[in-house]
Amino acid sequence: MSDERAAAIEAFISALPDPQGARAFWERLQAVRKLDYQRDSLLASRLLTIAAYSPFLAEDLLRHPEHIEWLRRETESGFDRVKTREQLSDELARFLMRTLDTDGRGMLARFKRRELLRIYLRDCLKVATLAEVTEELSHLADVILGHALAVAHQELANRHGAPLARDERGRIQAAEFAVVALGKLGCRELNYASDVDLLFLFTGEGQTAGDGRSPESVISNKAFFKGVAERITQMIAGQTAEGAAYRIDLRLRPYGRDGDLVWEVERAADYYRDKAQNWERQALLRARASAGSEAVVTRFLDLVRDTIFTAAVQDYAMQEVRRAKEKIDREVARRGGGFNVKLGRGGIREIEFIAQALQLRHGGHEPWVRSAQTLIVLARLADKSYLSETERARLSAAYTFLRTVEHRLQMEHGAQTHALPVARERLRLVARRCGYLHSEDAAAEFLRDLETHTAAVRAIYQRVFADGPTPFVAKATEAPPAREMDDETARLVRQAVAALVRVAGAVNPANEAGAATQIADANSIEGAIVAALGSAINPLRSLRNLSAWAESCATFMRDRSAGRAPFDLIDFSKRLLPTLSSQYLANLLIARPMLADALGEQTPREAAAFYELMRQSIADESSPAAKSDGLRRAWLRQVLAIGYNDLVASGQWPVASDPLRANNLTQTALAEATLRLAVEIALESLGVQSPSANQPQATGLPFAILGLGRLGHAGMDYGSDVDLLVVFDDAAEWPSAALAASGALKQEELPHEFYARFTSELVRVLASITREGLLYRVDLRLRPEGKNGPLAQGLNGLVAYLTNRASAWEHSAYLKAREVAGDARFGARARQAICEACFVAAANNANLKGELAAMRERIEAEKARGAQVNVKWGRGGMTDVYFVTRFLQLSEQIDYPPEEGTAALIKHLGERGTLDAASTEALFAGYTFLRRLDHWMRLLLDRPTPVLPASHIALNDLARALGIPSLEAFEPQLTHHLAAIRAIYDRVFA
């Protein structure tokens, strides 16, 4: 390169936010696509700009240099205009036609990133406003979703015919389907790395026309559209070599994770009118049609509009929004790290909450403020004097500033992040990318402006929510005597009684015909409720959940013409009330009210008994999908029965002296039985008929499912993931005659390819969300090479990896491996080989202690940031115990005792003298306390979390469940055990 050319390019690069990154990109680009800066200065400058603002997109350009010529054409014409949905749709069609790759999912992800090149370049060069950027990002998502819907609908229609329904006049017409956008996509304010929040709706109960050949091809419209929704999710969110197009979040649908995947419009509207919580209705402020029939979405929004906006001023809406923000503030404080531009004080979420709360408060009588887009809402609120013009200007300026910062953070690596870096040099780079290119101290000037904006937002937030913080009630939760109930308890009792009376007469009006009979029934129910209050850990929560369960039960019975209540409501009130103190169990029961009859059922103790019981429940199902749903229903019954015994009848456990261990063993047995049945269903889906998951060798399949983590150590609990490793015999003959004859193999398919397909199918059976929910979240990340490694491992290759390449942390994790499904004999052999390989590798590792200590420090830094207590990952938490015991195992070459579990291992190490008596006692007491605390947090709280709750109400509940008389006595015990465990950890790793 001549000196003149070098000087020209260097002058341009030096003026970019990240000159070093741009230079490195230019050098790598020349090896991929020769480009002369002077002859092609416009294109070169655009490419260098992308590299300086987004290493993520720069890497994509190097991986797909064909996008360079496309970008040239884009920047030479129409670069100053926002692309419409129609334009993007046409371009997607042309892109797919020109691409020979058969993986349509990967092509959608590649098309998205290609378009991001143009959108982000317009953004960085300030050719586009923030509103134009987010609008174009939203158009892009709509088009990709629309394409996925078209493909999915056609695929299902080819197999089952068109879905048909009758209109009000009885005429047959096509049933319709819509993808509803919520969240940022719903208000057309999508980020570069946003999830897409979706709701799937259809209209028209009926069935499909069939394929004209087979009666079995006729299915219900709901089943048809469920298949469409599953296929859309797979196409959009499925991982490929190109990554996924978008992450899809479906938790905003009715009943969240436990709800149906698709909803008929009328049923969805009923839910939002009668059962939804206020935050769920608030989410509908942003609802719109993203793909499919706009008429479906219009119909739905017409039905729920009066539920979202009421004529009365909704002061409660302000309280609800404020409480949600206070919860976010506590969570952000716990995480620590750099300022979070989305969730921090004065951040984006506070601006959105200001807008939404004022909308909810005034939207009932003032339709003008009902827009979805934040900047438009702020302007309209100012129009009506709900905000001053100064407040509107400050909020709008802060929103634009913070969203720009958010975009720069996300596009550095294409990740969904909102936290500013702490390191000064990295912060300086963010500041330069945000426009502070000519400042002597870019980071300092950036932080000053950040403080100005966030302080202005916070001041307006406090003015809008002027009634102060929500106090926590810190009193004990014992139920008062019946005659001395406080007003709130008495009110909730009356509410629950009324709801249960409605259950009694849900379909049969004769139940309500006689007033005297109704009063007598109500009195009996009230007596049962009041008598049971003392057995509830949190009586007020139980009463609220009892009312919600009753309302759900009544609706279920009306919808299905179920007749009179199939329960003895007085008896069930006694059972339900203590059970519903558990929010985890309450969520399951409210979503599926008829499963309440599982409470009080005896559960098996062994995996074999669970297996036989659940196998019988799915024996009549004809397809793998139906068996998968049937397995979920059977599993839910067992979970509810286990939970009831845990809360109400712990004396029924076989080991009365240790009910928690008995519970863990029972839940582990349930998980093992579920896995064995899931293996059979997965094999059947692949065309392999296995008589039993315990005898897969009958089909020539020498493989085993090994449990790691809590499953491996027989410590499963409510909400536990299952950590799995699929191992096959890579020295066995392939394929066996039986397997070859089954027709399950693809042409010339190798063992690792077949077992990878099997593993994917097994994960789908266990973890996919169907109308019946999911069984377990599956974690395969402990396999060699983590998420980048093969899904299934050959045993010889696995042993070689453990011996030669695995880290000390992996050796410690693999010590927990235990065969839980598949070929039991091969599984035992694999477990023994794995254990021996770990011990051999550890013996040859001169820095075993140092590696494990470094990993523990890293885990603590990444997962236990913030001031709140983390009983798993934090200092003195259960992870400290795991590291101590695994290190001693590896360093002393100590195999596990016959009884699984960390508590048993601690005793074993003490009996061998590896731990001194004092350390053994302290470690055992501390670990047992934390496991009991973790167990009750899982059972009582809404979802599993290792973080101690901030609410005094929740802490009081936990203390009571643990048998500790008061919160004042609970906190010193917790502090003592955490300190004792950490002291032992420090001594061992000194």
Side-chain angles (χ1 to χ4, degrees), residues 230-417:
E230 288 174 341
R231 181 68 174 119
I232 290 172
T233 304
Q234 179 190 45
M235 291 180 67
I236 298 297
Q239 286 295 326
T240 70
E242 296 287 342
Y246 294 96
R247 294 177 302 275
I248 290 181
D249 192 336
L250 302 173
R251 291 174 296 176
L252 288 178
R253 69 185 188 270
Y255 298 112
R257 291 187 180 93
D258 296 323
D260 288 346
L261 185 60
V262 296
W263 282 78
E264 198 278 327
V265 166
E266 302 285 344
R267 301 287 76 77
D270 288 344
Y271 173 84
Y272 283 104
R273 282 193 296 257
D274 302 331
K275 303 183 186 68
Q277 298 182 52
N278 289 326
W279 65 264
E280 292 179 281
R281 297 187 181 101
Q282 182 183 344
L284 297 182
L285 287 170
R286 296 174 163 187
R288 68 172 179 86
S290 176
S293 170
E294 292 195 11
V296 170
V297 183
T298 300
R299 170 65 177 156
F300 170 68
L301 293 178
D302 286 344
L303 291 171
V304 300
R305 186 163 286 108
D306 290 342
T307 303
I308 304 170
F309 300 107
T310 62
V313 174
Q314 298 185 20
D315 288 323
Y316 75 87
M318 313 297 282
Q319 300 168 7
E320 292 279 340
V321 175
R322 188 190 66 240
R323 279 194 289 268
K325 184 59 175 68
E326 288 171 359
K327 182 178 179 181
I328 290 171
D329 287 345
R330 292 193 294 272
E331 177 65 18
V332 171
R334 181 192 67 79
R335 294 177 190 170
F339 179 77
N340 190 306
V341 297
K342 177 181 179 182
L343 302 178
R345 292 168 67 87
I348 295 167
R349 184 54 55 85
E350 285 195 3
I351 301 172
E352 293 173 337
F353 276 12
I354 289 168
Q356 290 174 22
L358 291 174
Q359 273 187 296
L360 289 169
R361 187 174 189 184
H362 302 293
H365 60 272
E366 186 50 78
W368 178 244
V369 302
R370 295 181 186 179
S371 176
Q373 291 178 282
T374 303
L375 293 175
I376 294 175
V377 172
L378 293 174
R380 293 186 176 187
L381 288 169
D383 287 346
K384 297 298 179 179
S385 299
Y386 302 130
L387 289 170
S388 71
E389 182 55 35
T390 299
E391 287 175 327
R392 181 210 63 78
R394 288 176 177 172
L395 290 173
S396 298
Y399 185 77
T400 302
F401 176 88
L402 292 169
R403 286 296 304 270
T404 300
V405 175
E406 182 181 48
H407 286 172
R408 299 298 178 265
L409 290 172
Q410 292 180 343
M411 287 306 286
E412 181 174 16
H413 300 300
Q416 189 180 42
T417 182

Side-chain angles (χ1 to χ4, degrees), residues 106-182:
M107 290 304 95
L108 293 178
R110 188 188 296 185
F111 176 76
K112 175 194 171 184
R113 284 200 307 277
R114 190 192 76 169
E115 291 298 326
L116 290 186
L117 291 169
R118 176 184 182 276
I119 296 171
Y120 195 53
L121 185 57
R122 280 167 39 84
D123 185 357
C124 296
L125 294 176
K126 295 183 171 53
V127 176
T129 64
L130 173 66
E132 289 174 331
V133 168
T134 57
E135 181 182 10
E136 200 161 7
L137 290 171
S138 302
H139 287 341
L140 180 59
D142 288 344
V143 165
I144 290 175
L145 283 165
H147 171 80
L149 170 56
V151 171
H153 195 285
Q154 188 61 55
E155 289 178 357
L156 269 292
N158 289 343
R159 293 201 295 271
H160 302 289
L164 302 175
R166 292 187 181 275
D167 64 13
E168 295 177 352
R169 298 182 180 180
R171 296 172 300 187
I172 295 177
Q173 60 183 8
E176 295 185 295
F177 179 83
V179 180
V180 183
L182 303 166

Side-chain angles (χ1 to χ4, degrees), residues 13-14 16 18-27 47-49 51-52:
I13 288 175
S14 298
L16 292 171
D18 182 14
Q20 184 177 351
R23 290 189 194 98
F25 167 78
W26 185 256
E27 291 176 5
L47 297 176
L48 287 166
T49 299

Side-chain angles (χ1 to χ4, degrees), residues 592-605:
R592 302 168 181 82
M594 301 320 237
L595 281 178
D597 65 351
L599 303 182
E601 287 185 355
Q602 293 297 307
T603 59
R605 308 298 184 212

Side-chain angles (χ1 to χ4, degrees), residues 353-576:
F353 276 12
I354 289 168
Q356 290 174 22
L358 291 174
Q359 273 187 296
L360 289 169
R361 187 174 189 184
H362 302 293
H365 60 272
E366 186 50 78
W368 178 244
V369 302
R370 295 181 186 179
S371 176
Q373 291 178 282
T374 303
L375 293 175
I376 294 175
V377 172
L378 293 174
R380 293 186 176 187
L381 288 169
D383 287 346
K384 297 298 179 179
S385 299
Y386 302 130
L387 289 170
S388 71
E389 182 55 35
T390 299
E391 287 175 327
R392 181 210 63 78
R394 288 176 177 172
L395 290 173
S396 298
Y399 185 77
T400 302
F401 176 88
L402 292 169
R403 286 296 304 270
T404 300
V405 175
E406 182 181 48
H407 286 172
R408 299 298 178 265
L409 290 172
Q410 292 180 343
M411 287 306 286
E412 181 174 16
H413 300 300
Q416 189 180 42
T417 182
H418 308 93
L420 291 173
V422 176
R424 195 69 174 183
E425 189 55 36
R426 288 197 61 215
L427 185 62
R428 175 179 174 273
L429 180 56
V430 171
R432 287 175 60 84
R433 286 174 174 156
C434 290
Y436 295 82
L437 285 166
H438 306 297
S439 173
E440 292 184 3
D441 190 343
E445 186 176 346
F446 168 77
L447 290 175
R448 284 194 297 271
D449 287 350
L450 175 68
E451 173 61 26
T452 298
H453 286 299
T454 55
V457 172
R458 191 64 183 181
I460 299 168
Y461 178 86
Q462 290 174 331
R463 196 276 297 169
V464 172
F465 298 96
D467 48 349
T470 304
F472 283 117
V473 179
K475 61 184 180 182
T477 57
E478 282 89 355
R483 295 179 182 176
E484 300 178 9
M485 286 189 296
D486 58 43
D487 290 344
E488 178 64 5
T489 304
R491 183 185 70 80
L492 291 173
V493 167
R494 291 193 299 272
Q495 179 178 303
V497 170
L500 288 165
V501 168
R502 285 194 289 275
V503 172
V507 175
N508 188 348
N511 287 348
E512 299 181 356
T517 303
Q518 182 178 340
I519 292 172
D521 288 344
N523 288 338
S524 299
I525 293 170
E526 181 175 354
I529 290 174
V530 173
L533 280 176
S535 61
I537 290 175
N538 186 318
L540 298 183
R541 182 189 304 131
S542 289
L543 288 168
R544 293 188 187 98
N545 283 330
L546 181 59
S547 294
W549 174 84
E551 295 291 353
S552 177
C553 186
T555 300
F556 180 92
M557 291 164 59
R558 282 196 302 269
D559 289 348
R560 291 158 179 77
S561 299
R564 296 187 62 180
F567 308 126
D568 178 340
L569 290 174
I570 294 175
D571 176 59
F572 263 75
S573 297
K574 296 176 183 177
R575 294 192 211 176
L576 277 165

Side-chain angles (χ1 to χ4, degrees), residues 813-884:
Y814 274 80
L815 284 179
K816 286 186 175 183
R818 181 174 65 88
E819 64 277 15
V820 292
D823 185 334
R825 288 176 295 178
F826 174 71
R829 177 159 66 91
R831 172 168 54 88
Q832 185 64 32
I834 288 169
C835 188
E836 291 174 358
C838 290
F839 282 143
V840 168
N844 294 326
N845 186 350
N847 190 33
L848 177 66
K849 180 186 291 187
E851 287 185 20
L852 288 176
M855 176 56 77
R856 175 64 183 113
E857 184 177 346
R858 175 182 165 188
I859 289 174
E860 184 178 335
E862 291 180 354
K863 298 193 175 185
R865 295 179 295 179
Q868 286 179 279
V869 175
N870 190 308
V871 300
K872 180 176 182 181
W873 305 111
R875 291 175 62 84
M878 290 184 287
T879 303
D880 273 1
V881 181
Y882 301 148
F883 271 81
V884 167

Side-chain angles (χ1 to χ4, degrees), residues 69-81:
E69 286 305 315
W70 172 84
L71 188 63
R72 180 204 298 275
R73 295 191 298 271
E74 290 292 310
T75 56
E76 288 175 352
S77 63
F79 190 60
D80 59 339
R81 294 193 298 273

